[in-house]
Amino acid sequence: MGAQDRSREILQLISEGFVLVDTGFTVLEMNAEGERIDGRPAAKIVGRSLWDSWPNVKDGQLGHLLREAMHDRRPVSFEHLYTWPDGRQAWIETRAYPSRDGLAIFFRDVSSQRETEEELRRTQSELIHASRMSAMGAMAATLAHELSQPLTVVGNYVNSARRLLQAVPAAQARDARQALGFAATSTERATELLKRLRAFVAKGRTETETHDIQTIVADASVLVLPHAQSEGVEIQFRLDRFAKWVKADAVQIQQVLINLIKNAIEAMRGAELRRVTISTGLSPDGQIEVAVEDTGAGLDEDIRRELFTPFSSGKDKGLGVGLSISRTIVEAHGGTIEGAPRDGGGAVFRFTLPRATPPA
Ligand SMILES: Nc1ncnc2c1ncn2[C@@H]1O[C@H](COP(=O)(O)OP(=O)(O)OP(=O)(O)O)[C@@H](O)[C@H]1O
Ligand SMILES: [Mg+2]
């Protein structure tokens, strides 16, 4: 068998359509895969002009590129939606390689590939949309939840201030001023919360920087300390100084810690021992892990299954959004969060955050 016959045989075997044309674009050869993609036998195409066999190529961009390839003696490739004269359509990827006496044109049907890519893109954008929507919904719910308490307090103080001022006697003016002072503090807290939540929603994504996790833990603890003290809860720390630097949005992680500590305090009402332990360390996969342990009621199987489901609460006045928001935040950071019963009673909630390289 001569070298030419051997090449011809190989071209029959390859899984791409193949057409050889001379410098005048007359088709010299077409392989079996070419017949399959096109739907006509080679005998109907060989010996005729390429432009006659594929009229829709001639005046389109592909025709232009093929003439350019022939003229400039450089390879070209092109993907387009081809329409056959009978109306059939397919995405065809074409590559043409010039030689001294013509063009070797390879082509394949990439329709199903394109469909898969298209489907993937659609699914991805739907997913992003859905997770953003559920995060927004959860945010709106926290907003209502977190604001209702301080605003009720404001209302009560303002009402009693009004009553006090009606009664007038100068001796009571001092009490009135004090009540209004409390009202002002509560309003500031509500305003600050609103500001943070608005920033979170507006960003729509998490902006992480390198932070010391110990500082984040300390800042969150300061915010819940008054609440812990009034509930007779002791807060302990076990911080690993070798697990320090995290890539995180500090305000958001404070929010997660506040949610977990508040849950812990609420779970310990009526317990003998009321102790929250916050610890940091390295997780087995090298991330930074933060754990909040309590000595409260613990987690039974039913509660455990629904922990992170929005609006599911085991409490009379609970909204059931604290943990679902915490999960949204932790996952936006690339971490995970889970709750489990603690050895010796109570519960432990652990979450991970990506480790950062120490700042210079
Ligand atoms: N430390 C814990 N110990 C025992 N149960 C817990 C603990 N943390 C959460 N839970 C259970 O999980 C439920 C969901 O918690 P989550 O914080 O999401 O909602 P919530 O505390 O009920 O309401 P909110 O979010 O409004 O504070 C709680 O109602 C409680 O039943
Ligand atoms: Mg909660």
Side-chain angles (χ1 to χ4, degrees):
M1 197 193 276
Q4 214 179 355
D5 289 334
R6 202 167 294 134
S7 339
R8 192 162 290 151
E9 196 177 289
I10 290 170
L11 286 169
Q12 285 302 327
L13 292 173
I14 63 171
S15 59
E16 282 193 44
F18 171 73
V19 161
L20 183 68
V21 298
D22 67 12
T23 47
F25 287 97
T26 298
V27 177
L28 303 176
E29 241 173 85
M30 178 156 101
N31 73 350
E33 179 63 9
E35 289 177 317
R36 198 192 63 77
I37 295 172
D38 183 68
R40 287 172 290 183
K44 288 214 164 164
I45 287 167
V46 171
R48 291 175 61 194
S49 157
L50 181 81
W51 312 131
D52 290 343
S53 292
W54 291 286
N56 290 342
V57 167
K58 187 178 181 187
D59 299 318
Q61 210 177 336
L62 179 59
H64 179 73
L65 276 172
L66 291 176
R67 279 187 291 270
E68 227 174 57
M70 186 81 89
H71 183 264
D72 300 346
R73 295 269 182 89
R74 63 179 180 87
V76 294
S77 71
F78 189 61
E79 194 176 307
H80 75 324
L81 184 65
Y82 183 70
T83 309
W84 274 265
D86 66 3
R88 183 166 65 93
Q89 285 194 320
W91 281 93
I92 303 291
E93 183 197 76
T94 306
R95 281 166 299 129
Y97 302 93
S99 68
R100 219 171 338 119
D101 33 39
L103 271 187
I105 304 169
F106 293 88
F107 55 102
R108 15 183 230 134
D109 184 342
V110 292
S111 306
S112 65
Q113 223 162 300
R114 279 193 72 114
E115 247 165 55
T116 315
E117 279 166 25
E118 201 56 39
E119 180 68 30
L120 197 70
R121 253 196 302 277
R122 234 192 340 264
T123 314
Q124 244 163 10
S125 79
E126 274 166 16
L127 263 179
I128 291 167
H129 183 68
S131 68
R132 195 172 295 152
M133 288 310 284
S134 75
M136 299 283 251
M139 276 306 144
T142 347
L143 200 78
H145 175 64
E146 296 287 344
L147 282 180
S148 66
Q149 204 193 344
L151 289 179
T152 309
V153 175
V154 172
N156 291 344
Y157 279 123
V158 168
N159 283 339
S160 57
R162 275 221 198 94
R163 273 197 304 277
L164 287 167
L165 286 175
Q166 261 170 10
V168 177
Q172 284 178 344
R174 204 192 55 225
D175 292 345
R177 271 198 302 276
Q178 199 187 23
L180 286 171
F182 285 135
T185 309
S186 235
T187 313
E188 275 161 27
R189 185 172 124 71
T191 311
E192 178 59 28
L193 265 169
L194 252 184
K195 213 166 71 191
R196 286 184 190 189
L197 286 167
R198 250 195 241 117
F200 179 78
V201 173
K203 269 189 288 182
R205 66 194 165 89
T206 308
E207 277 175 16
T208 61
E209 280 175 23
T210 298
H211 288 283
D212 183 350
I213 188 64
Q214 307 194 356
T215 309
I216 297 179
V217 168
D219 290 347
S221 306
V222 165
L223 291 172
V224 291
L225 209 59
H227 184 46
Q229 275 167 350
S230 70
E231 296 273 343
V233 169
E234 181 202 352
I235 301 186
Q236 271 191 354
F237 300 95
R238 267 204 319 260
L239 307 176
D240 179 345
R241 64 196 173 91
F242 296 109
K244 231 167 126 68
W245 302 106
V246 290
K247 266 204 272 297
D249 183 322
V251 170
Q252 287 181 19
I253 299 305
Q254 277 176 34
Q255 188 63 56
V256 171
L257 280 160
I258 291 169
N259 291 345
L260 295 181
I261 298 168
K262 274 171 70 183
N263 279 350
I265 293 171
E266 285 159 6
M268 291 189 293
R269 287 201 176 122
E272 280 272 0
L273 177 64
R274 297 182 199 175
R275 190 167 61 212
V276 174
T277 307
I278 305 172
S279 51
T280 57
L282 285 181
S283 70
D285 61 352
Q287 291 194 305
I288 303 288
E289 186 179 80
V290 183
V292 177
E293 287 177 58
D294 65 64
T295 53
L299 304 171
D300 64 34
E301 220 18 69
D302 282 351
I303 290 179
R304 215 178 150 188
R305 216 171 307 127
E306 300 274 318
L307 279 177
F308 298 94
T309 308
F311 308 112
S312 86
S313 173
K315 299 162 195 170
D316 283 344
K317 289 187 179 157
L319 257 189
V321 297
L323 286 177
S324 80
I325 286 178
S326 301
R327 186 170 64 178
T328 302
I329 293 176
V330 169
E331 287 181 354
H333 280 74
T336 56
I337 183 167
E338 54 156 11
R342 170 181 165 274
D343 287 341
V348 51
F349 282 82
R350 288 195 180 82
F351 64 92
T352 57
L353 291 172
R355 201 174 172 185
T357 47

